[in-house]
Amino acid sequence: MRYLLLAIGWLSVALGVLGIFLPVLPTTPFLLLAAACFARSSPRFHDWLINHPTLGPWIRDYLSGEGIPLKGKVYAIGLMWASIGLSCYLVPLFWARAFMLSSAVLVSLYILKQKTLRRS
């Protein structure tokens, strides 16, 4: 089980890093999944991820309940709607468009409901 959790953890880290650059992949959920997998399989990798200078703040801010930075909210919602808009343009199926648009609305509402992190 430990090796399965490690594999899922590293796959999640890779997808999370890709999500930084690709708007169709979310970053934070993959990094949270990686942190959860590492917490159960490898304290060393968990500490590495939580204390990583680039990836760590995504996890720490969310887990601490401090919220999401306003810039992050705007970036996430803007890129999501741009990619959903392009996808809806390219995909002719009504049910697929309806699913994408309803997913985008729900994710936008979730992000907007999260506390906004105020950095000093």
Side-chain angles (χ1 to χ4, degrees), residues 96-116:
R97 287 179 178 173
F99 178 76
M100 288 186 283
L101 290 172
S102 61
S103 297
V105 167
L106 293 173
V107 171
S108 295
L109 290 173
Y110 177 78
I111 291 171
L112 291 171
K113 282 178 54 178
Q114 298 302 306
K115 187 176 177 183
T116 301

Side-chain angles (χ1 to χ4, degrees), residues 11-108:
L11 177 63
S12 297
V13 168
L15 291 173
V17 170
L18 281 175
I20 294 171
F21 305 102
L22 300 174
V24 295
L25 282 176
T27 299
T28 305
F30 284 120
L31 294 179
L32 290 173
L33 176 60
C37 289
F38 289 156
R40 295 173 190 256
S41 62
S42 173
R44 181 175 65 128
F45 291 143
H46 182 262
D47 290 340
W48 170 82
L49 183 60
I50 296 295
N51 296 311
H52 191 277
T54 304
L55 304 176
W58 293 74
I59 301 164
R60 288 192 307 267
D61 290 343
Y62 185 83
L63 292 178
S64 70
E66 293 181 34
I68 303 170
L70 180 60
K71 182 179 176 181
K73 286 183 174 186
V74 170
Y75 180 77
I77 291 173
L79 283 177
M80 178 183 61
W81 278 101
S83 63
I84 293 292
L86 177 63
S87 298
C88 284
Y89 175 75
L90 295 174
V91 176
L93 302 171
F94 173 77
W95 64 268
R97 287 179 178 173
F99 178 76
M100 288 186 283
L101 290 172
S102 61
S103 297
V105 167
L106 293 173
V107 171
S108 295

